[in-house]
Amino acid sequence: MAAMDTSLNNAWAYVRGLPQADLVIAAALAFVGLVQPGYGAPLPAHLLGVLLATLPLALRHRQPYIAVFLPLTGPFLLVSTGESVFTMPVAVYLAGMLCFYTLLRQLSRQQAWLLGILAALGWLAVAAFDTLRGGLTLDLGDLLGTLYGSAFYLGAAVASVVITLVSDLRRTRTEVTQAKAVNVETLREQAAMAERARIAREMHDVVAHSISMIAVRAESAPYTLDNLGDAAKEEFAEIAADARTTLSEMRRLLGVLRADVKTTPETAPQPGLARLGELIQQHDGEVDLDVVGEQASLPQAVDVSAYRIIQECLANARKHAPGSRVSIEIAYRPGLLAIRVANDGPPATVAEGGHGLIGMRERALSMGGWFNAEPIAGGGFLVKAGLPLE
């Protein structure tokens, strides 16, 4: 009993995991086929044939080949029990067309067109044969039946070509969608790599200055300090040498990054929050600035990153919400600099930020901080970031 319950639960879970669209289509075709009366086949055979022809379509995406070939048993059962090919329920014909479409989608483009053309030629051959055979009879009823059958086969040939064309258009659309997704992902990776290179250059400018000062002070220490022994002088010389080596390694690493991303090196001093007023004056729109907490001296890397994040937020506001009011809040907290930038523009999505959001996130994460960007209910966009001070 427990094994049966487990099997039933597994079967129900499998059915619930099927695409809802496939379940609805299969159920709708089965219902339409069951309510249409049969013509020749016994009622049990008619019901079973319709169910076999329609219900397996629920597996169209999960088990496509089962959904293609199992429904063939339905028309075979109907014909073998007295149903005419021309009087089967409409749902059976529609199920057959959907099966053919499903089979085409499993093949390559060349294979699908070859199968579609062969199917159309096959139906045309049947129509021609049926017409020639009917033309030899003198019975008017047989002649009209032959013409009806020929029209049916011609319609099947046209349907084969149309289904093949629809399948090919759907395939093309899928390929375009996949190509766009790959292209977007490539652009995102390139943007992230470019931003990392830019961050590395800026960090190089910040750190290189400090290391250079270490080297200079270590080299000058023997001349500015009195009573230094030979061991101390040697130690200072090693410190200076290590600092110079570290500086060379940093420059070599920066050269690799510049080789990967073809951008012009920045030679101007890196900006910080001290130049925020100048940045706000250049913005085309109203900007509110609120500084919370006691301002303190920031590490230069944090100072540069904070300025760049706010700069990108203002650029995004000009691009995606021109004329909107921008609110900037900079909060000095213990061990953390928190940034909050919001605009009151039209409703926006996260995707609208483009590669600028990638750059801001890269900056915050590279500092060991956090970053969040989201649309504001009712309109606008909000960017929040936290940069550790230690």
Side-chain angles (χ1 to χ4, degrees), residues 211-250:
I211 295 179
S212 297
M213 292 300 298
I214 293 174
V216 170
R217 295 181 66 178
E219 290 173 344
S220 62
Y223 304 99
T224 57
L225 299 177
D226 297 332
N227 301 323
L228 284 180
D230 293 338
K233 292 180 181 180
E234 184 177 351
E235 186 70 23
F236 276 117
E238 291 180 358
I239 292 174
D242 289 342
R244 296 295 182 189
T245 301
T246 301
L247 190 59
S248 299
E249 292 295 333
M250 287 185 59

Side-chain angles (χ1 to χ4, degrees), residues 279-280 282-288 308-328 341-349 352-354 356-357 360 376 380-383:
L279 181 64
I280 293 175
Q282 296 174 353
H283 180 71
D284 185 15
E286 298 185 28
V287 179
D288 297 326
R308 293 300 189 192
I309 290 174
I310 296 174
Q311 182 184 43
E312 187 62 38
C313 287
L314 293 176
N316 283 344
R318 286 194 299 270
K319 180 179 179 180
H320 301 292
S324 64
R325 189 182 190 91
V326 180
S327 299
I328 303 174
V341 183
N343 68 73
D344 59 359
T349 62
E352 288 187 11
L357 292 180
M360 289 187 282
I376 301 174
F381 203 78
L382 173 63
V383 170

Side-chain angles (χ1 to χ4, degrees), residues 45 48-54 56 66-81 88 92 99:
L48 181 59
V50 170
L51 294 178
L52 286 174
T54 56
I66 293 179
V68 167
F69 295 108
L70 184 57
L72 296 178
T73 60
F76 178 79
L77 177 61
L78 292 174
V79 172
S80 63
T81 54
M88 285 190 292
V92 176
C99 287

Side-chain angles (χ1 to χ4, degrees), residues 14 18-23 25-26 29 54-69 71 94-106 167 170:
Y14 183 83
L18 296 175
Q20 292 184 356
D22 291 344
L23 290 172
I25 291 174
L29 289 175
T54 56
L55 289 184
L57 290 174
L59 304 173
R60 202 164 61 87
H61 287 91
R62 184 68 67 85
Q63 299 288 341
Y65 288 105
I66 293 179
V68 167
F69 295 108
L94 295 177
M97 296 169 65
L98 188 55
C99 287
F100 186 60
Y101 172 83
T102 303
L103 178 59
L104 294 177
R105 293 289 284 127
Q106 303 307 310
S167 171
R170 178 64 178 173

Side-chain angles (χ1 to χ4, degrees), residues 251-268:
R251 287 170 177 165
R252 187 177 297 110
L253 176 61
L254 181 61
V256 173
L257 291 173
R258 284 173 175 167
D260 292 338
V261 182
K262 304 301 182 183
T263 55
T264 303
E266 297 181 3
T267 56

